[in-house]
mmCIF file of all heavy atoms in Angstrom:
data_model
loop_
_atom_site.group_PDB
_atom_site.id
_atom_site.type_symbol
_atom_site.label_atom_id
_atom_site.label_comp_id
_atom_site.label_asym_id
_atom_site.label_seq_id
_atom_site.Cartn_x
_atom_site.Cartn_y
_atom_site.Cartn_z
ATOM 1 N N TRP B 117 -174.469 -98.254 -24.392
ATOM 2 C CA TRP B 117 -174.234 -97.138 -23.487
ATOM 3 C C TRP B 117 -173.450 -96.018 -24.145
ATOM 4 O O TRP B 117 -173.591 -94.849 -23.814
ATOM 5 C CB TRP B 117 -173.528 -97.630 -22.232
ATOM 6 C CG TRP B 117 -172.352 -98.524 -22.516
ATOM 7 C CD1 TRP B 117 -172.370 -99.868 -22.661
ATOM 8 C CD2 TRP B 117 -171.008 -98.119 -22.726
ATOM 9 N NE1 TRP B 117 -171.141 -100.350 -22.957
ATOM 10 C CE2 TRP B 117 -170.264 -99.293 -23.003
ATOM 11 C CE3 TRP B 117 -170.328 -96.899 -22.722
ATOM 12 C CZ2 TRP B 117 -168.898 -99.264 -23.259
ATOM 13 C CZ3 TRP B 117 -168.970 -96.874 -22.978
ATOM 14 C CH2 TRP B 117 -168.282 -98.053 -23.238
ATOM 15 N N TYR B 118 -172.640 -96.402 -25.134
ATOM 16 C CA TYR B 118 -171.804 -95.394 -25.804
ATOM 17 C C TYR B 118 -172.617 -94.537 -26.762
ATOM 18 O O TYR B 118 -172.114 -93.599 -27.349
ATOM 19 C CB TYR B 118 -170.660 -96.089 -26.550
ATOM 20 C CG TYR B 118 -171.129 -97.353 -27.252
ATOM 21 C CD1 TYR B 118 -171.672 -97.293 -28.520
ATOM 22 C CD2 TYR B 118 -171.074 -98.596 -26.610
ATOM 23 C CE1 TYR B 118 -172.144 -98.420 -29.153
ATOM 24 C CE2 TYR B 118 -171.556 -99.738 -27.233
ATOM 25 C CZ TYR B 118 -172.079 -99.643 -28.494
ATOM 26 O OH TYR B 118 -172.553 -100.763 -29.113
ATOM 27 N N TYR B 119 -173.908 -94.892 -26.969
ATOM 28 C CA TYR B 119 -174.772 -94.074 -27.820
ATOM 29 C C TYR B 119 -175.714 -93.216 -26.982
ATOM 30 O O TYR B 119 -176.727 -92.741 -27.469
ATOM 31 C CB TYR B 119 -175.630 -94.959 -28.733
ATOM 32 C CG TYR B 119 -174.929 -95.491 -29.963
ATOM 33 C CD1 TYR B 119 -175.507 -96.496 -30.734
ATOM 34 C CD2 TYR B 119 -173.693 -94.986 -30.362
ATOM 35 C CE1 TYR B 119 -174.880 -97.000 -31.853
ATOM 36 C CE2 TYR B 119 -173.060 -95.493 -31.483
ATOM 37 C CZ TYR B 119 -173.652 -96.500 -32.226
ATOM 38 O OH TYR B 119 -173.030 -96.999 -33.339
ATOM 39 N N ILE B 120 -175.355 -92.986 -25.703
ATOM 40 C CA ILE B 120 -176.244 -92.257 -24.801
ATOM 41 C C ILE B 120 -176.553 -90.861 -25.342
ATOM 42 O O ILE B 120 -177.583 -90.282 -25.034
ATOM 43 C CB ILE B 120 -175.615 -92.182 -23.387
ATOM 44 C CG1 ILE B 120 -176.572 -91.547 -22.362
ATOM 45 C CG2 ILE B 120 -174.322 -91.389 -23.382
ATOM 46 C CD1 ILE B 120 -177.138 -92.517 -21.410
ATOM 47 N N TRP B 121 -175.677 -90.343 -26.195
ATOM 48 C CA TRP B 121 -175.881 -89.000 -26.742
ATOM 49 C C TRP B 121 -176.848 -88.985 -27.921
ATOM 50 O O TRP B 121 -177.246 -87.928 -28.388
ATOM 51 C CB TRP B 121 -174.527 -88.428 -27.181
ATOM 52 C CG TRP B 121 -173.770 -89.378 -28.087
ATOM 53 C CD1 TRP B 121 -172.919 -90.369 -27.699
ATOM 54 C CD2 TRP B 121 -173.842 -89.462 -29.512
ATOM 55 N NE1 TRP B 121 -172.449 -91.059 -28.782
ATOM 56 C CE2 TRP B 121 -172.999 -90.525 -29.917
ATOM 57 C CE3 TRP B 121 -174.534 -88.745 -30.489
ATOM 58 C CZ2 TRP B 121 -172.847 -90.889 -31.247
ATOM 59 C CZ3 TRP B 121 -174.371 -89.105 -31.827
ATOM 60 C CH2 TRP B 121 -173.529 -90.173 -32.186
ATOM 61 N N HIS B 122 -177.236 -90.142 -28.421
ATOM 62 C CA HIS B 122 -178.089 -90.191 -29.617
ATOM 63 C C HIS B 122 -179.374 -89.366 -29.517
ATOM 64 O O HIS B 122 -179.749 -88.709 -30.488
ATOM 65 C CB HIS B 122 -178.421 -91.648 -29.970
ATOM 66 C CG HIS B 122 -177.433 -92.240 -30.930
ATOM 67 N ND1 HIS B 122 -177.669 -93.407 -31.618
ATOM 68 C CD2 HIS B 122 -176.221 -91.813 -31.321
ATOM 69 C CE1 HIS B 122 -176.626 -93.677 -32.387
ATOM 70 N NE2 HIS B 122 -175.743 -92.742 -32.215
ATOM 71 N N PRO B 123 -180.072 -89.394 -28.346
ATOM 72 C CA PRO B 123 -181.318 -88.610 -28.292
ATOM 73 C C PRO B 123 -181.104 -87.123 -28.552
ATOM 74 O O PRO B 123 -182.045 -86.425 -28.947
ATOM 75 C CB PRO B 123 -181.821 -88.841 -26.869
ATOM 76 C CG PRO B 123 -181.216 -90.140 -26.470
ATOM 77 C CD PRO B 123 -179.878 -90.198 -27.137
ATOM 78 N N LEU B 124 -179.888 -86.639 -28.335
ATOM 79 C CA LEU B 124 -179.647 -85.227 -28.619
ATOM 80 C C LEU B 124 -179.650 -84.956 -30.118
ATOM 81 O O LEU B 124 -179.902 -83.856 -30.568
ATOM 82 C CB LEU B 124 -178.298 -84.789 -28.034
ATOM 83 C CG LEU B 124 -178.162 -84.900 -26.518
ATOM 84 C CD1 LEU B 124 -176.745 -84.563 -26.091
ATOM 85 C CD2 LEU B 124 -179.158 -83.989 -25.837
ATOM 86 N N VAL B 125 -179.360 -86.001 -30.899
ATOM 87 C CA VAL B 125 -179.234 -85.838 -32.341
ATOM 88 C C VAL B 125 -180.468 -86.382 -33.062
ATOM 89 O O VAL B 125 -181.023 -85.740 -33.949
ATOM 90 C CB VAL B 125 -177.978 -86.572 -32.855
ATOM 91 C CG1 VAL B 125 -177.801 -86.337 -34.345
ATOM 92 C CG2 VAL B 125 -176.750 -86.118 -32.082
ATOM 93 N N PHE B 126 -180.892 -87.576 -32.662
ATOM 94 C CA PHE B 126 -182.066 -88.195 -33.301
ATOM 95 C C PHE B 126 -183.277 -87.950 -32.413
ATOM 96 O O PHE B 126 -183.337 -88.456 -31.301
ATOM 97 C CB PHE B 126 -181.827 -89.698 -33.487
ATOM 98 C CG PHE B 126 -180.586 -90.019 -34.248
ATOM 99 C CD1 PHE B 126 -179.513 -90.658 -33.622
ATOM 100 C CD2 PHE B 126 -180.465 -89.685 -35.586
ATOM 101 C CE1 PHE B 126 -178.360 -90.947 -34.318
ATOM 102 C CE2 PHE B 126 -179.306 -89.979 -36.283
ATOM 103 C CZ PHE B 126 -178.249 -90.607 -35.652
ATOM 104 N N TRP B 127 -184.219 -87.185 -32.940
ATOM 105 C CA TRP B 127 -185.345 -86.776 -32.116
ATOM 106 C C TRP B 127 -186.603 -87.556 -32.463
ATOM 107 O O TRP B 127 -186.863 -87.857 -33.620
ATOM 108 C CB TRP B 127 -185.635 -85.286 -32.331
ATOM 109 C CG TRP B 127 -184.582 -84.386 -31.772
ATOM 110 C CD1 TRP B 127 -183.264 -84.687 -31.592
ATOM 111 C CD2 TRP B 127 -184.754 -83.041 -31.326
ATOM 112 N NE1 TRP B 127 -182.610 -83.618 -31.054
ATOM 113 C CE2 TRP B 127 -183.495 -82.585 -30.884
ATOM 114 C CE3 TRP B 127 -185.844 -82.186 -31.262
ATOM 115 C CZ2 TRP B 127 -183.309 -81.300 -30.390
ATOM 116 C CZ3 TRP B 127 -185.663 -80.910 -30.776
ATOM 117 C CH2 TRP B 127 -184.401 -80.464 -30.332
ATOM 118 N N ASN B 128 -187.381 -87.859 -31.442
ATOM 119 C CA ASN B 128 -188.711 -88.416 -31.671
ATOM 120 C C ASN B 128 -189.681 -87.741 -30.712
ATOM 121 O O ASN B 128 -189.803 -88.127 -29.557
ATOM 122 C CB ASN B 128 -188.720 -89.931 -31.462
ATOM 123 C CG ASN B 128 -190.083 -90.522 -31.695
ATOM 124 O OD1 ASN B 128 -190.988 -89.856 -32.209
ATOM 125 N ND2 ASN B 128 -190.271 -91.770 -31.304
ATOM 126 N N GLY B 129 -190.333 -86.712 -31.211
ATOM 127 C CA GLY B 129 -191.192 -85.876 -30.375
ATOM 128 C C GLY B 129 -192.346 -86.600 -29.719
ATOM 129 O O GLY B 129 -192.835 -86.172 -28.691
ATOM 130 N N SER B 130 -192.785 -87.731 -30.303
ATOM 131 C CA SER B 130 -193.937 -88.398 -29.708
ATOM 132 C C SER B 130 -193.529 -89.342 -28.578
ATOM 133 O O SER B 130 -194.375 -89.908 -27.914
ATOM 134 C CB SER B 130 -194.714 -89.158 -30.776
ATOM 135 O OG SER B 130 -193.861 -90.076 -31.405
ATOM 136 N N SER B 131 -192.236 -89.516 -28.375
ATOM 137 C CA SER B 131 -191.782 -90.464 -27.360
ATOM 138 C C SER B 131 -191.665 -89.782 -26.001
ATOM 139 O O SER B 131 -190.966 -88.784 -25.842
ATOM 140 C CB SER B 131 -190.420 -91.038 -27.763
ATOM 141 O OG SER B 131 -189.849 -91.719 -26.677
ATOM 142 N N ALA B 132 -192.352 -90.364 -25.021
ATOM 143 C CA ALA B 132 -192.248 -89.837 -23.656
ATOM 144 C C ALA B 132 -190.819 -90.007 -23.143
ATOM 145 O O ALA B 132 -190.299 -89.164 -22.407
ATOM 146 C CB ALA B 132 -193.229 -90.555 -22.743
ATOM 147 N N LEU B 133 -190.195 -91.095 -23.560
ATOM 148 C CA LEU B 133 -188.831 -91.361 -23.097
ATOM 149 C C LEU B 133 -187.859 -90.313 -23.647
ATOM 150 O O LEU B 133 -186.933 -89.884 -22.952
ATOM 151 C CB LEU B 133 -188.393 -92.763 -23.530
ATOM 152 C CG LEU B 133 -187.072 -93.253 -22.961
ATOM 153 C CD1 LEU B 133 -187.127 -93.319 -21.449
ATOM 154 C CD2 LEU B 133 -186.712 -94.615 -23.520
#
Side-chain angles (χ1 to χ4, degrees):
Chain B
W117 47 271
Y118 41 86
Y119 280 168
I120 186 107
W121 52 272
H122 269 195
L124 298 175
V125 183
F126 305 113
W127 290 27
N128 180 11
S130 57
S131 167
L133 188 61

